[in-house]
């Protein structure tokens, strides 16, 4: 038996629910009540998109919708789908996945009933206008790319033991903050948020709060720079102690201070002032990659030591 696929809702009204794709058929998504998948919201057209299963191939076609249909962050007219692809329709993100073992046995009526039960649970957890999900299901770079292409406005709130907020204007990221620590700066905050791989997100309505400093770069440039920094941090991470570990100046200090650059001396000063790797990172003017590389070098050369 060939694989059976399903559309898994990873955001929106039916988050957590699945709609199996069985046999050769067409599936219409839209706001109209007689359609296969009904999404009643302002950003969804009456007949928004069509998914076709034929000859083992799955394709999606936008039906002239007002706000467009997006696959993996790209606005499409027609696109062939493969496992793992993410579709954005209105505030719902759907992911093409292999269906569960009992998917074939469920009738269309049972599938719709199951989705409505999921919707009831979701409605108790969120407001009707909120767009929520898990970043395990849709990584933040992919999510921000979707928002950029679809020109979303709002505040993306991400919770991962800490609370982060990313501010969007017509899809462009213009500010970011973690735990209301504005001293960290929007650039450094954004780069850190992008490293989060676990947590929940919610796209809230736009906030009229104004900031002294806004991010000027395009969303694509911000993402590319953040992902580059992430790769560089991973390379040096093994040479660093835990973020909350105490750092101290080596005593007695064998290497000479005169051999250090002004930037390295600044990091030594930060260690004296703040006493932990986290304190150094949070209070340095340089980006996290520069600080990580400098601290690793100072540890290796004997100027610093961990607890």
């Amino acid at each position: 038996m060939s694989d059976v696929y399903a559309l898994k809702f990873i955001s929106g009204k039916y988050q957590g629910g699945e709609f199996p794709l069985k046999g050769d058929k067409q599936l219409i998504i839209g706001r109209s009540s007689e359609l296969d998948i009904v999404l009643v919201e302002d950003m969804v057209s009456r007949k928004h998109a069509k998914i076709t299963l034929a000859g083992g191939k799955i394709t999606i076609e936008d039906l002239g919708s007002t706000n467009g249909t997006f696959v993996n962050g790209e606005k499409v007219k027609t696109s062939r789908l493969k496992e793992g692809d993410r579709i954005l329709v209105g505030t719902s993100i759907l992911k093409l996945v292999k269906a569960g073992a009992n998917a074939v046995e469920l009738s269309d009526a049972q599938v719709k009933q199951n989705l409505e039960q999921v919707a009831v649970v979701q409605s108790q957890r969120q407001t009707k206008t909120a767009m929520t999900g898990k970043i395990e299901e849709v990584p933040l770079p992919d999510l921000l790319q979707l928002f950029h292409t679809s020109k979303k406005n709002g505040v993306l709130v991400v919770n991962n033991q800490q609370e982060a907020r990313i501010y969007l204007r017509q899809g462009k990221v213009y500010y970011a903050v973690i735990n209301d620590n504005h001293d960290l700066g929007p650039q450094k905050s954004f780069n850190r948020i992008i490293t989060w791989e676990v947590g929940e997100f919610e796209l809230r309505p736009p906030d009229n709060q104004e900031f002294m400093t806004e991010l000027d770069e395009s969303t694509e440039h911000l993402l590319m720079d953040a992902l580059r920094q992430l790769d560089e941090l991973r390379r040096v991470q093994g040479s660093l102690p835990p973020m909350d570990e105490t750092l101290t100046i080596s005593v007695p200090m064998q290497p000479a201070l005169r051999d250090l650059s002004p930037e390295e001396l600044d990091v030594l000063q930060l260690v004296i002032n703040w006493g932990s790797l986290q304190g150094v990172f949070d209070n340095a003017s340089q980006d996290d990659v520069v600080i990580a590389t400098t601290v690793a070098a100072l540890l290796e050369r004997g100027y610093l030591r961990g607890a």
Side-chain angles (χ1 to χ4, degrees), residues 67-256:
N67 292 294
T69 301
F70 302 84
V71 176
N72 298 329
E74 297 293 329
K75 191 173 185 179
V76 300
K77 176 59 180 174
T78 303
S79 178
R80 184 173 174 181
L81 299 176
K82 63 183 183 300
E83 185 180 0
D85 282 349
R86 298 180 181 90
I87 303 160
L88 175 66
V89 175
T91 63
S92 293
I93 302 175
L94 302 86
K95 183 178 181 181
L96 186 64
V97 300
K98 287 185 179 179
N102 65 341
V104 179
E105 301 173 3
L106 295 176
S107 67
D108 288 349
Q110 288 173 316
V111 169
K112 290 183 178 180
Q113 182 179 9
N114 288 347
L115 285 177
E116 289 307 321
Q117 290 173 349
V118 169
V120 170
V121 175
Q122 281 297 103
S123 67
Q124 296 170 351
R125 295 178 55 205
Q126 65 184 61
T127 65
K128 290 184 178 180
T129 57
M131 181 178 185
T132 65
K134 295 181 181 296
I135 57 178
E136 298 96 305
E137 293 278 6
V138 52
L140 285 172
D142 294 358
L143 187 64
L144 288 169
Q145 186 61 47
L146 282 171
F147 291 164
H148 170 71
T149 311
S150 55
K151 300 187 183 303
K152 295 285 189 188
N153 292 306
V155 182
L156 178 64
V157 180
V158 187
N159 283 288
N160 174 15
Q161 296 182 330
Q162 304 180 83
E163 182 181 276
R165 295 195 299 277
I166 297 176
Y167 293 77
L168 300 162
R169 184 188 296 126
Q170 288 293 297
K172 182 185 182 300
V173 175
Y174 68 92
Y175 195 78
V177 64
I178 301 173
N179 291 338
D180 283 322
N181 180 13
H182 296 274
D183 292 337
L184 196 59
Q187 182 75 65
K188 189 177 287 190
S189 297
F190 180 81
N191 290 342
R192 290 188 186 181
I193 297 165
I194 292 301
T195 68
W196 296 2
E197 297 178 342
V198 177
E200 296 185 344
F201 72 82
E202 178 182 356
L203 182 64
R204 296 178 183 172
D207 189 323
N208 59 6
Q209 184 175 358
E210 296 184 1
F211 304 104
M212 293 293 292
T213 304
E214 290 192 1
L215 295 168
D216 295 326
E217 301 288 353
S218 68
T219 297
E220 296 99 321
H221 186 278
L222 288 171
L223 286 170
M224 287 178 61
D225 190 56
L227 293 173
R228 175 191 60 79
Q229 287 210 21
L230 178 58
D231 287 341
E232 294 181 14
L233 280 171
R234 283 173 174 165
R235 282 196 290 271
V236 75
Q237 204 164 25
S239 304
L240 297 174
M243 293 297 286
D244 58 353
E245 183 170 305
T246 300
L247 282 178
T248 58
I249 304 295
S250 295
V251 178
M253 183 181 292
Q254 299 299 328

